[in-house]
Amino acid sequence: MLTLELLEKMLLVAAEELKANTTYLCELDSVAGDGDHGITVGKMAEAMKQRVEAHASEDLNGLLDDLGMTFMNINGGSAGPLWGTIFSGLADAVEPGVTAVEAEGLRKMFAQAKEDFMDISKAKPGDKTMVDALYPALEAGMAATADLQATMQAVAAVAVKGAEATAAMVAKFGRAKNVGELSLGTKDPGAVSISILFSAMAKAL
């Protein structure tokens, strides 16, 4: 069961892990992008930490929706709006006032997040984007079981595998596609940041 208290714990650990990897993410982004992905992720991580520590949310919907809106308003490329869409999607599947969801509710959250993301992004698996880690992770979550820890471990494992796989891909989407073959050998920063997010959330459990 995912409770509000557990979600807060998971997000706090994720915020710390993301902040610890901001330089690494900037280095990855400097190969084919502006080199600022880590800065944007750091801003989102700090916002996540502050929101959770304030304990201002009374339910799952409120916490996730607030984070989604906050991320969407963070300047620094596409990461903010994309992460905002994921978190808002997770929130959309939970009725206001609900402070805990069983496996079925968790499956709905992951499914809604994927549906909302697909509405705004045309990237496909294999394009060397965050989608290569995100879609497998959300799909693993859509198969959630009663064991939350096992579910999140599965989500994290496929996210990491997806991010690792991007090193062997040539970028076909976004700014990175302009460098073509030069992107080979380097993991996509968006996919890596997603893998860090889910890995940390699993670690927190």
Side-chain angles (χ1 to χ4, degrees):
M1 178 187 292
L2 176 66
T3 64
L4 177 60
E5 182 180 7
L6 265 181
L7 178 60
E8 288 181 336
K9 178 182 178 182
M10 292 159 72
L11 291 174
L12 274 180
V13 174
E16 291 304 319
E17 291 283 342
L18 289 165
K19 287 165 71 174
N21 282 278
T22 54
T23 299
Y24 172 53
L25 291 171
C26 284
E27 289 170 353
L28 289 178
D29 193 37
S30 66
V31 175
D34 293 335
D36 63 351
H37 183 68
I39 295 173
T40 303
V41 167
K43 291 177 182 177
M44 291 191 291
E46 182 58 31
M48 192 186 298
K49 181 174 183 288
Q50 290 180 5
R51 182 68 198 180
V52 171
E53 290 182 339
H55 296 293
S57 302
E58 297 180 354
D59 54 29
L60 294 169
N61 173 283
L63 175 56
L64 291 166
D65 194 52
D66 283 349
L67 284 173
M69 293 302 295
T70 298
F71 294 162
M72 286 183 187
N73 290 316
I74 287 178
N75 294 323
S78 61
L82 293 174
W83 279 51
T85 299
I86 297 166
F87 276 75
S88 293
L90 293 169
D92 288 344
V94 189
E95 292 292 331
V98 173
T99 58
V101 292
E102 302 281 0
E104 182 181 358
L106 196 58
R107 291 194 290 269
K108 289 179 179 178
M109 289 169 66
F110 282 107
Q112 189 64 55
K114 186 180 180 189
E115 182 179 329
D116 285 10
F117 193 89
M118 290 180 73
D119 283 343
I120 67 158
S121 176
K122 304 305 180 189
K124 297 180 178 61
D127 285 345
K128 192 168 183 150
T129 69
M130 66 186 290
V131 159
D132 289 297
L134 177 65
Y135 284 179
L138 296 179
E139 287 159 9
M142 288 158 62
T145 66
D147 187 334
L148 177 64
Q149 185 175 7
T151 293
M152 291 308 300
Q153 286 175 342
V155 168
V158 294
V160 170
K161 183 179 179 181
E164 293 287 339
T166 61
M169 298 175 186
V170 174
K172 302 174 185 175
F173 198 85
R175 185 186 298 270
K177 71 178 181 181
N178 296 327
V179 303
E181 298 283 339
L182 292 177
S183 65
L184 265 175
T186 303
K187 288 180 281 190
D188 177 72
V192 172
S193 60
I194 286 293
S195 73
I196 293 170
L197 169 70
F198 287 125
S199 293
M201 291 176 79
K203 177 183 174 182
L205 297 171

